């Protein structure tokens, strides 16, 4: 895999460089609530612009249905990119049409343009190789060189991620090179103890990675909504908590395997429960109590790990040489249910080991809860991509960058 450093050494002055970024930032009422992914691609965009390239930045945002939708426009991320660069960024209101060509043709060396949401074109996500390839051909006409730097999308076999690199000289950007280096530290010659903390809502999203980690990690800590399927598998009452009953057989088998193989699989010992889900906009204080994990009332909803569990997990993380954390421990967006996630984040900050926050909601939680990003070894921009890499899958976007 050639890197941007090699491209810069070859020279890019005056060349049109297509950067596949991941500007898929969370929006609320049309405003960006977390610009972490935009900041993550900044080093690549700035290096290319400073070297005299004509930089074309492309990304997806959300899940539009293959047609333009103002709710998913990249205009806001483009404007934020310009603010962070400290320079104007042109914005094209289409992906491969007249506006995109005009924007690119209007670039001077060192200038940047963002084209509209790639998923506004059905060819971007098509399962049909021909349709996807035709869209990739039209994207390729905009550029001389391709730089892949959208790590959050490399697990997708999409036109701009998988097909386009085959049509242009291709290189990995700074972000992808960093992400791959970090993931190798989690899979090759890992420093031990190796502790993994998994949270989030659905256990089904994490089953494949748990399957792989049972042969690699020393400890796996389970939290978030997914914990209730594990607790139910132990025979506990989980009230109205999030539960995937169809996953109980798989969860039971993993708990048995963990015991046999000596992997410490740690479940919550207490949980924070409430009569219902809180209002995340108002964030007003709600009625809630802490109960032991094996004594949940039938009519209550589990929304966070409890304080005893937070302390237990911190202790289990204290001696770790390597930590991977993916998924919040509770509904961190509401102050009444953020303490479990805070406890795990603080344990990573206090850790002397190599700590990785695995993208998505975990990265948002770290920033929302006011932690210094530099206190962690690495904050990934791609939760799904990180998990699939740890599962041992081939990621199309990485394979496409290899020669």
């Amino acid at each position: 895999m050639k890197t941007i450093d090699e491209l810069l050494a070859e020279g890019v002055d005056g060349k049109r460089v297509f950067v596949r970024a991941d500007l898929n930032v969370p929006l609320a009422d049309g405003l960006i609530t977390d610009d972490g992914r935009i900041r993550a691609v900044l080093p690549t965009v700035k290096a290319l612009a400073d070297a005299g390239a004509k930089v074309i930045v492309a990304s997806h945002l959300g899940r539009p249905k293959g047609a333009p939708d103002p709710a998913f426009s990249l205009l806001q991320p483009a404007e934020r990119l310009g603010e962070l660069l400290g320079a104007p960024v042109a914005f094209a209101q289409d992906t491969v049409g007249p506006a995109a060509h005009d924007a690119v043709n209007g670039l001077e060396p060192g200038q940047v343009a963002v084209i509209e949401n790639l998923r506004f074109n059905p060819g971007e996500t098509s399962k049909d190789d021909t349709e996807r390839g035709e869209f990739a051909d039209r994207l390729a006409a905009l550029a001389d060189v391709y730089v892949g730097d959208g790590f959050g999308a490399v697990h997708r076999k999409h036109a701009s991620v998988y097909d386009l690199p085959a049509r242009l000289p291709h290189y990995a950007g700074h972000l992808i090179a960093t992400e791959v280096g970090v993931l190798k530290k989690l899979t090759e010659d890992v420093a031990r103890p190796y502790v993994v903390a998994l949270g989030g809502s659905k256990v089904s999203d994490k089953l494949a990675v748990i399957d792989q980690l049972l042969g690699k990690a020393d400890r796996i800590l389970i939290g978030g909504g997914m914990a209730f399927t594990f607790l139910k598998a132990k025979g506990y009452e989980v009230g109205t908590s999030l539960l995937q009953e169809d996953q109980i057989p798989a969860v039971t088998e993993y708990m048995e395997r963990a015991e046999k193989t000596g992997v410490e699989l740690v479940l919550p010992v207490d949980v924070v429960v409430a009569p219902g889900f809180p209002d995340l906009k108002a964030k007003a204080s709600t009625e809630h109590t802490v109960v032991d994990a094996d004594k949940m009332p039938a009519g209550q909803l589990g929304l966070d790990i409890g304080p005893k569990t937070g302390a237990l997990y911190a202790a289990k993380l204290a001696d770790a040489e390597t930590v991977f954390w993916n998924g919040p421990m509770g509904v961190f967006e509401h102050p009444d249910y953020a303490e479990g996630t805070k406890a795990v984040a603080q344990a990573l900050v206090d850790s002397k080991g190599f700590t990785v926050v695995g993208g998505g909601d975990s990265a948002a939680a770290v920033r929302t809860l006011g932690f210094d990003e530099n206190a962690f070894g690495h904050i990934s921009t791609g939760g799904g991509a990180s998990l699939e890499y740890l599962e041992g899958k081939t990621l199309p976007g990485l394979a496409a960058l290899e020669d």
Side-chain angles (χ1 to χ4, degrees), residues 7 16-21 143-150 159-162 164-172 176 397 400-401:
L7 172 61
R16 300 172 301 162
V17 182
F18 188 104
V19 177
R20 197 341 177 155
D144 305 305
V145 182
Y146 177 92
V147 172
D149 216 31
S160 66
V161 175
Y162 178 75
L164 183 55
R167 288 156 167 79
L168 294 170
H170 45 270
Y171 302 80
I176 279 187
L401 292 175

PDB file of all heavy atoms in Angstrom, residues 7 16-21 143-150 159-162 164-172 176 397 400-401:
ATOM      1  N   LEU A   7       3.485   9.819  -2.475  1.00  0.00           N
ATOM      2  CA  LEU A   7       2.878  10.688  -3.478  1.00  0.00           C
ATOM      3  C   LEU A   7       3.468  12.088  -3.405  1.00  0.00           C
ATOM      4  O   LEU A   7       3.812  12.694  -4.433  1.00  0.00           O
ATOM      5  CB  LEU A   7       1.352  10.734  -3.267  1.00  0.00           C
ATOM      6  CG  LEU A   7       0.575  11.748  -4.119  1.00  0.00           C
ATOM      7  CD1 LEU A   7       0.743  11.460  -5.603  1.00  0.00           C
ATOM      8  CD2 LEU A   7      -0.901  11.750  -3.732  1.00  0.00           C
ATOM      9  N   ARG A  16      -4.726  17.095 -10.097  1.00  0.00           N
ATOM     10  CA  ARG A  16      -6.056  16.983  -9.482  1.00  0.00           C
ATOM     11  C   ARG A  16      -6.065  15.711  -8.618  1.00  0.00           C
ATOM     12  O   ARG A  16      -5.957  14.598  -9.146  1.00  0.00           O
ATOM     13  CB  ARG A  16      -7.135  16.893 -10.552  1.00  0.00           C
ATOM     14  CG  ARG A  16      -7.189  18.092 -11.495  1.00  0.00           C
ATOM     15  CD  ARG A  16      -8.157  17.832 -12.641  1.00  0.00           C
ATOM     16  NE  ARG A  16      -7.762  16.646 -13.396  1.00  0.00           N
ATOM     17  CZ  ARG A  16      -8.570  15.964 -14.226  1.00  0.00           C
ATOM     18  NH1 ARG A  16      -9.816  16.363 -14.413  1.00  0.00           N
ATOM     19  NH2 ARG A  16      -8.132  14.904 -14.870  1.00  0.00           N
ATOM     20  N   VAL A  17      -6.151  15.888  -7.310  1.00  0.00           N
ATOM     21  CA  VAL A  17      -6.093  14.754  -6.386  1.00  0.00           C
ATOM     22  C   VAL A  17      -7.458  14.551  -5.738  1.00  0.00           C
ATOM     23  O   VAL A  17      -7.968  15.437  -5.044  1.00  0.00           O
ATOM     24  CB  VAL A  17      -5.017  14.953  -5.294  1.00  0.00           C
ATOM     25  CG1 VAL A  17      -4.963  13.733  -4.382  1.00  0.00           C
ATOM     26  CG2 VAL A  17      -3.651  15.182  -5.943  1.00  0.00           C
ATOM     27  N   PHE A  18      -8.039  13.393  -5.966  1.00  0.00           N
ATOM     28  CA  PHE A  18      -9.346  13.026  -5.412  1.00  0.00           C
ATOM     29  C   PHE A  18      -9.126  12.393  -4.038  1.00  0.00           C
ATOM     30  O   PHE A  18      -8.471  11.352  -3.923  1.00  0.00           O
ATOM     31  CB  PHE A  18     -10.026  12.022  -6.354  1.00  0.00           C
ATOM     32  CG  PHE A  18     -11.455  11.692  -6.003  1.00  0.00           C
ATOM     33  CD1 PHE A  18     -12.503  12.236  -6.727  1.00  0.00           C
ATOM     34  CD2 PHE A  18     -11.765  10.818  -4.965  1.00  0.00           C
ATOM     35  CE1 PHE A  18     -13.831  11.925  -6.434  1.00  0.00           C
ATOM     36  CE2 PHE A  18     -13.071  10.497  -4.643  1.00  0.00           C
ATOM     37  CZ  PHE A  18     -14.108  11.057  -5.386  1.00  0.00           C
ATOM     38  N   VAL A  19      -9.636  13.030  -2.998  1.00  0.00           N
ATOM     39  CA  VAL A  19      -9.499  12.495  -1.633  1.00  0.00           C
ATOM     40  C   VAL A  19     -10.848  11.931  -1.192  1.00  0.00           C
ATOM     41  O   VAL A  19     -11.816  12.685  -1.014  1.00  0.00           O
ATOM     42  CB  VAL A  19      -9.033  13.582  -0.645  1.00  0.00           C
ATOM     43  CG1 VAL A  19      -8.971  13.008   0.776  1.00  0.00           C
ATOM     44  CG2 VAL A  19      -7.673  14.125  -1.057  1.00  0.00           C
ATOM     45  N   ARG A  20     -10.911  10.616  -1.030  1.00  0.00           N
ATOM     46  CA  ARG A  20     -12.136  10.001  -0.503  1.00  0.00           C
ATOM     47  C   ARG A  20     -12.057  10.104   1.013  1.00  0.00           C
ATOM     48  O   ARG A  20     -11.349   9.356   1.688  1.00  0.00           O
ATOM     49  CB  ARG A  20     -12.240   8.551  -0.948  1.00  0.00           C
ATOM     50  CG  ARG A  20     -13.617   7.833  -0.864  1.00  0.00           C
ATOM     51  CD  ARG A  20     -14.646   8.429   0.026  1.00  0.00           C
ATOM     52  NE  ARG A  20     -15.922   7.680  -0.039  1.00  0.00           N
ATOM     53  CZ  ARG A  20     -16.808   7.671   0.921  1.00  0.00           C
ATOM     54  NH1 ARG A  20     -16.590   8.362   2.038  1.00  0.00           N
ATOM     55  NH2 ARG A  20     -17.942   7.003   0.793  1.00  0.00           N
ATOM     56  N   ALA A  21     -12.760  11.080   1.559  1.00  0.00           N
ATOM     57  CA  ALA A  21     -12.760  11.341   2.993  1.00  0.00           C
ATOM     58  C   ALA A  21     -13.992  10.704   3.632  1.00  0.00           C
ATOM     59  O   ALA A  21     -14.823  10.104   2.948  1.00  0.00           O
ATOM     60  CB  ALA A  21     -12.761  12.843   3.244  1.00  0.00           C
ATOM     61  N   ALA A 143     -10.288  13.579 -11.836  1.00  0.00           N
ATOM     62  CA  ALA A 143      -9.012  13.584 -11.112  1.00  0.00           C
ATOM     63  C   ALA A 143      -7.886  12.875 -11.858  1.00  0.00           C
ATOM     64  O   ALA A 143      -8.109  12.134 -12.821  1.00  0.00           O
ATOM     65  CB  ALA A 143      -9.208  12.940  -9.740  1.00  0.00           C
ATOM     66  N   ASP A 144      -6.665  13.114 -11.379  1.00  0.00           N
ATOM     67  CA  ASP A 144      -5.465  12.438 -11.906  1.00  0.00           C
ATOM     68  C   ASP A 144      -4.960  11.376 -10.936  1.00  0.00           C
ATOM     69  O   ASP A 144      -4.316  10.415 -11.354  1.00  0.00           O
ATOM     70  CB  ASP A 144      -4.342  13.465 -12.124  1.00  0.00           C
ATOM     71  CG  ASP A 144      -4.774  14.612 -13.001  1.00  0.00           C
ATOM     72  OD1 ASP A 144      -5.249  14.349 -14.123  1.00  0.00           O
ATOM     73  OD2 ASP A 144      -4.652  15.783 -12.558  1.00  0.00           O
ATOM     74  N   VAL A 145      -5.244  11.571  -9.648  1.00  0.00           N
ATOM     75  CA  VAL A 145      -4.711  10.701  -8.589  1.00  0.00           C
ATOM     76  C   VAL A 145      -5.798  10.476  -7.548  1.00  0.00           C
ATOM     77  O   VAL A 145      -6.644  11.355  -7.324  1.00  0.00           O
ATOM     78  CB  VAL A 145      -3.477  11.348  -7.902  1.00  0.00           C
ATOM     79  CG1 VAL A 145      -2.900  10.430  -6.830  1.00  0.00           C
ATOM     80  CG2 VAL A 145      -2.407  11.703  -8.922  1.00  0.00           C
ATOM     81  N   TYR A 146      -5.770   9.308  -6.906  1.00  0.00           N
ATOM     82  CA  TYR A 146      -6.735   8.976  -5.849  1.00  0.00           C
ATOM     83  C   TYR A 146      -6.004   8.804  -4.521  1.00  0.00           C
ATOM     84  O   TYR A 146      -4.979   8.119  -4.442  1.00  0.00           O
ATOM     85  CB  TYR A 146      -7.446   7.666  -6.196  1.00  0.00           C
ATOM     86  CG  TYR A 146      -8.422   7.166  -5.143  1.00  0.00           C
ATOM     87  CD1 TYR A 146      -9.767   7.518  -5.189  1.00  0.00           C
ATOM     88  CD2 TYR A 146      -8.012   6.331  -4.109  1.00  0.00           C
ATOM     89  CE1 TYR A 146     -10.678   7.062  -4.246  1.00  0.00           C
ATOM     90  CE2 TYR A 146      -8.906   5.867  -3.152  1.00  0.00           C
ATOM     91  CZ  TYR A 146     -10.229   6.233  -3.227  1.00  0.00           C
ATOM     92  OH  TYR A 146     -11.125   5.774  -2.288  1.00  0.00           O
ATOM     93  N   VAL A 147      -6.542   9.421  -3.483  1.00  0.00           N
ATOM     94  CA  VAL A 147      -6.044   9.206  -2.117  1.00  0.00           C
ATOM     95  C   VAL A 147      -7.211   8.729  -1.260  1.00  0.00           C
ATOM     96  O   VAL A 147      -8.214   9.433  -1.105  1.00  0.00           O
ATOM     97  CB  VAL A 147      -5.432  10.493  -1.526  1.00  0.00           C
ATOM     98  CG1 VAL A 147      -5.104  10.295  -0.040  1.00  0.00           C
ATOM     99  CG2 VAL A 147      -4.170  10.889  -2.287  1.00  0.00           C
ATOM    100  N   GLY A 148      -7.095   7.532  -0.723  1.00  0.00           N
ATOM    101  CA  GLY A 148      -8.118   6.995   0.172  1.00  0.00           C
ATOM    102  C   GLY A 148      -7.833   7.419   1.597  1.00  0.00           C
ATOM    103  O   GLY A 148      -6.760   7.127   2.126  1.00  0.00           O
ATOM    104  N   ASP A 149      -8.771   8.146   2.207  1.00  0.00           N
ATOM    105  CA  ASP A 149      -8.573   8.556   3.594  1.00  0.00           C
ATOM    106  C   ASP A 149      -9.869   8.500   4.393  1.00  0.00           C
ATOM    107  O   ASP A 149      -9.950   9.047   5.485  1.00  0.00           O
ATOM    108  CB  ASP A 149      -7.973   9.957   3.669  1.00  0.00           C
ATOM    109  CG  ASP A 149      -6.986  10.096   4.831  1.00  0.00           C
ATOM    110  OD1 ASP A 149      -6.342   9.088   5.184  1.00  0.00           O
ATOM    111  OD2 ASP A 149      -6.849  11.210   5.367  1.00  0.00           O
ATOM    112  N   GLY A 150     -10.888   7.832   3.849  1.00  0.00           N
ATOM    113  CA  GLY A 150     -12.161   7.703   4.558  1.00  0.00           C
ATOM    114  C   GLY A 150     -12.234   6.372   5.280  1.00  0.00           C
ATOM    115  O   GLY A 150     -12.954   5.467   4.857  1.00  0.00           O
ATOM    116  N   ALA A 159     -18.511   2.489  -4.881  1.00  0.00           N
ATOM    117  CA  ALA A 159     -17.762   2.934  -6.056  1.00  0.00           C
ATOM    118  C   ALA A 159     -16.552   3.786  -5.699  1.00  0.00           C
ATOM    119  O   ALA A 159     -15.447   3.573  -6.217  1.00  0.00           O
ATOM    120  CB  ALA A 159     -18.701   3.709  -6.993  1.00  0.00           C
ATOM    121  N   SER A 160     -16.744   4.774  -4.821  1.00  0.00           N
ATOM    122  CA  SER A 160     -15.655   5.697  -4.491  1.00  0.00           C
ATOM    123  C   SER A 160     -14.602   5.075  -3.592  1.00  0.00           C
ATOM    124  O   SER A 160     -13.495   5.604  -3.457  1.00  0.00           O
ATOM    125  CB  SER A 160     -16.229   6.947  -3.821  1.00  0.00           C
ATOM    126  OG  SER A 160     -16.802   6.606  -2.559  1.00  0.00           O
ATOM    127  N   VAL A 161     -14.943   3.953  -2.978  1.00  0.00           N
ATOM    128  CA  VAL A 161     -14.048   3.292  -2.020  1.00  0.00           C
ATOM    129  C   VAL A 161     -13.310   2.122  -2.676  1.00  0.00           C
ATOM    130  O   VAL A 161     -12.107   1.927  -2.452  1.00  0.00           O
ATOM    131  CB  VAL A 161     -14.860   2.776  -0.807  1.00  0.00           C
ATOM    132  CG1 VAL A 161     -13.980   1.990   0.150  1.00  0.00           C
ATOM    133  CG2 VAL A 161     -15.531   3.932  -0.088  1.00  0.00           C
ATOM    134  N   TYR A 162     -14.032   1.365  -3.488  1.00  0.00           N
ATOM    135  CA  TYR A 162     -13.507   0.105  -4.031  1.00  0.00           C
ATOM    136  C   TYR A 162     -13.173   0.169  -5.519  1.00  0.00           C
ATOM    137  O   TYR A 162     -12.109  -0.282  -5.946  1.00  0.00           O
ATOM    138  CB  TYR A 162     -14.526  -1.008  -3.779  1.00  0.00           C
ATOM    139  CG  TYR A 162     -14.125  -2.352  -4.323  1.00  0.00           C
ATOM    140  CD1 TYR A 162     -13.139  -3.114  -3.677  1.00  0.00           C
ATOM    141  CD2 TYR A 162     -14.724  -2.861  -5.465  1.00  0.00           C
ATOM    142  CE1 TYR A 162     -12.767  -4.348  -4.180  1.00  0.00           C
ATOM    143  CE2 TYR A 162     -14.357  -4.108  -5.964  1.00  0.00           C
ATOM    144  CZ  TYR A 162     -13.372  -4.850  -5.327  1.00  0.00           C
ATOM    145  OH  TYR A 162     -13.001  -6.069  -5.821  1.00  0.00           O
ATOM    146  N   LEU A 164     -13.102   3.054  -7.709  1.00  0.00           N
ATOM    147  CA  LEU A 164     -12.349   4.201  -8.186  1.00  0.00           C
ATOM    148  C   LEU A 164     -10.832   4.037  -8.069  1.00  0.00           C
ATOM    149  O   LEU A 164     -10.106   4.406  -8.999  1.00  0.00           O
ATOM    150  CB  LEU A 164     -12.825   5.468  -7.461  1.00  0.00           C
ATOM    151  CG  LEU A 164     -12.195   6.789  -7.876  1.00  0.00           C
ATOM    152  CD1 LEU A 164     -12.343   7.033  -9.376  1.00  0.00           C
ATOM    153  CD2 LEU A 164     -12.807   7.945  -7.083  1.00  0.00           C
ATOM    154  N   PRO A 165     -10.301   3.476  -6.974  1.00  0.00           N
ATOM    155  CA  PRO A 165      -8.843   3.319  -6.891  1.00  0.00           C
ATOM    156  C   PRO A 165      -8.246   2.503  -8.041  1.00  0.00           C
ATOM    157  O   PRO A 165      -7.096   2.728  -8.428  1.00  0.00           O
ATOM    158  CB  PRO A 165      -8.640   2.599  -5.550  1.00  0.00           C
ATOM    159  CG  PRO A 165      -9.839   2.941  -4.752  1.00  0.00           C
ATOM    160  CD  PRO A 165     -10.964   3.065  -5.728  1.00  0.00           C
ATOM    161  N   ALA A 166      -9.013   1.565  -8.592  1.00  0.00           N
ATOM    162  CA  ALA A 166      -8.517   0.747  -9.698  1.00  0.00           C
ATOM    163  C   ALA A 166      -8.358   1.568 -10.978  1.00  0.00           C
ATOM    164  O   ALA A 166      -7.680   1.133 -11.916  1.00  0.00           O
ATOM    165  CB  ALA A 166      -9.472  -0.423  -9.947  1.00  0.00           C
ATOM    166  N   ARG A 167      -8.969   2.743 -11.020  1.00  0.00           N
ATOM    167  CA  ARG A 167      -8.979   3.552 -12.237  1.00  0.00           C
ATOM    168  C   ARG A 167      -7.957   4.683 -12.211  1.00  0.00           C
ATOM    169  O   ARG A 167      -7.785   5.385 -13.213  1.00  0.00           O
ATOM    170  CB  ARG A 167     -10.395   4.126 -12.461  1.00  0.00           C
ATOM    171  CG  ARG A 167     -11.384   3.051 -12.895  1.00  0.00           C
ATOM    172  CD  ARG A 167     -12.817   3.421 -12.578  1.00  0.00           C
ATOM    173  NE  ARG A 167     -13.768   2.534 -13.257  1.00  0.00           N
ATOM    174  CZ  ARG A 167     -14.071   1.305 -12.841  1.00  0.00           C
ATOM    175  NH1 ARG A 167     -13.492   0.815 -11.739  1.00  0.00           N
ATOM    176  NH2 ARG A 167     -14.936   0.569 -13.517  1.00  0.00           N
ATOM    177  N   LEU A 168      -7.301   4.879 -11.064  1.00  0.00           N
ATOM    178  CA  LEU A 168      -6.336   5.962 -10.921  1.00  0.00           C
ATOM    179  C   LEU A 168      -5.131   5.484 -10.105  1.00  0.00           C
ATOM    180  O   LEU A 168      -5.253   4.545  -9.317  1.00  0.00           O
ATOM    181  CB  LEU A 168      -6.986   7.147 -10.187  1.00  0.00           C
ATOM    182  CG  LEU A 168      -8.134   7.894 -10.872  1.00  0.00           C
ATOM    183  CD1 LEU A 168      -8.794   8.847  -9.876  1.00  0.00           C
ATOM    184  CD2 LEU A 168      -7.647   8.644 -12.096  1.00  0.00           C
ATOM    185  N   PRO A 169      -3.972   6.143 -10.262  1.00  0.00           N
ATOM    186  CA  PRO A 169      -2.886   5.869  -9.310  1.00  0.00           C
ATOM    187  C   PRO A 169      -3.410   6.120  -7.901  1.00  0.00           C
ATOM    188  O   PRO A 169      -4.066   7.148  -7.660  1.00  0.00           O
ATOM    189  CB  PRO A 169      -1.817   6.899  -9.696  1.00  0.00           C
ATOM    190  CG  PRO A 169      -2.132   7.278 -11.109  1.00  0.00           C
ATOM    191  CD  PRO A 169      -3.629   7.185 -11.244  1.00  0.00           C
ATOM    192  N   HIS A 170      -3.166   5.201  -6.958  1.00  0.00           N
ATOM    193  CA  HIS A 170      -3.845   5.296  -5.663  1.00  0.00           C
ATOM    194  C   HIS A 170      -2.885   5.198  -4.481  1.00  0.00           C
ATOM    195  O   HIS A 170      -1.888   4.464  -4.533  1.00  0.00           O
ATOM    196  CB  HIS A 170      -4.926   4.214  -5.547  1.00  0.00           C
ATOM    197  CG  HIS A 170      -4.472   2.866  -5.996  1.00  0.00           C
ATOM    198  ND1 HIS A 170      -4.609   2.431  -7.296  1.00  0.00           N
ATOM    199  CD2 HIS A 170      -3.860   1.859  -5.328  1.00  0.00           C
ATOM    200  CE1 HIS A 170      -4.110   1.211  -7.402  1.00  0.00           C
ATOM    201  NE2 HIS A 170      -3.645   0.842  -6.227  1.00  0.00           N
ATOM    202  N   TYR A 171      -3.229   5.931  -3.438  1.00  0.00           N
ATOM    203  CA  TYR A 171      -2.383   6.039  -2.252  1.00  0.00           C
ATOM    204  C   TYR A 171      -3.271   6.102  -1.009  1.00  0.00           C
ATOM    205  O   TYR A 171      -4.408   6.555  -1.072  1.00  0.00           O
ATOM    206  CB  TYR A 171      -1.523   7.313  -2.304  1.00  0.00           C
ATOM    207  CG  TYR A 171      -0.629   7.400  -3.517  1.00  0.00           C
ATOM    208  CD1 TYR A 171      -1.143   7.817  -4.751  1.00  0.00           C
ATOM    209  CD2 TYR A 171       0.713   7.052  -3.443  1.00  0.00           C
ATOM    210  CE1 TYR A 171      -0.331   7.897  -5.881  1.00  0.00           C
ATOM    211  CE2 TYR A 171       1.538   7.133  -4.564  1.00  0.00           C
ATOM    212  CZ  TYR A 171       1.006   7.551  -5.782  1.00  0.00           C
ATOM    213  OH  TYR A 171       1.812   7.614  -6.890  1.00  0.00           O
ATOM    214  N   ALA A 172      -2.719   5.671   0.116  1.00  0.00           N
ATOM    215  CA  ALA A 172      -3.414   5.790   1.401  1.00  0.00           C
ATOM    216  C   ALA A 172      -3.066   7.129   2.030  1.00  0.00           C
ATOM    217  O   ALA A 172      -1.896   7.515   2.072  1.00  0.00           O
ATOM    218  CB  ALA A 172      -3.002   4.657   2.334  1.00  0.00           C
ATOM    219  N   ILE A 176      -5.780   6.844   7.084  1.00  0.00           N
ATOM    220  CA  ILE A 176      -5.855   5.395   6.865  1.00  0.00           C
ATOM    221  C   ILE A 176      -4.549   4.721   7.275  1.00  0.00           C
ATOM    222  O   ILE A 176      -4.558   3.657   7.906  1.00  0.00           O
ATOM    223  CB  ILE A 176      -6.229   5.078   5.403  1.00  0.00           C
ATOM    224  CG1 ILE A 176      -7.743   5.207   5.247  1.00  0.00           C
ATOM    225  CG2 ILE A 176      -5.753   3.690   4.992  1.00  0.00           C
ATOM    226  CD1 ILE A 176      -8.299   4.766   3.909  1.00  0.00           C
ATOM    227  N   GLY A 397     -12.087  -1.401   0.893  1.00  0.00           N
ATOM    228  CA  GLY A 397     -11.398  -0.146   0.671  1.00  0.00           C
ATOM    229  C   GLY A 397      -9.904  -0.215   0.937  1.00  0.00           C
ATOM    230  O   GLY A 397      -9.127   0.535   0.339  1.00  0.00           O
ATOM    231  N   ALA A 400      -8.370  -2.367  -2.027  1.00  0.00           N
ATOM    232  CA  ALA A 400      -8.297  -1.584  -3.252  1.00  0.00           C
ATOM    233  C   ALA A 400      -7.071  -0.662  -3.291  1.00  0.00           C
ATOM    234  O   ALA A 400      -6.615  -0.264  -4.369  1.00  0.00           O
ATOM    235  CB  ALA A 400      -9.567  -0.749  -3.427  1.00  0.00           C
ATOM    236  N   LEU A 401      -6.541  -0.319  -2.125  1.00  0.00           N
ATOM    237  CA  LEU A 401      -5.373   0.548  -2.062  1.00  0.00           C
ATOM    238  C   LEU A 401      -4.063  -0.218  -2.175  1.00  0.00           C
ATOM    239  O   LEU A 401      -2.997   0.374  -2.357  1.00  0.00           O
ATOM    240  CB  LEU A 401      -5.375   1.347  -0.754  1.00  0.00           C
ATOM    241  CG  LEU A 401      -6.475   2.394  -0.602  1.00  0.00           C
ATOM    242  CD1 LEU A 401      -6.433   3.006   0.783  1.00  0.00           C
ATOM    243  CD2 LEU A 401      -6.348   3.479  -1.669  1.00  0.00           C
TER     244      LEU A 401
END
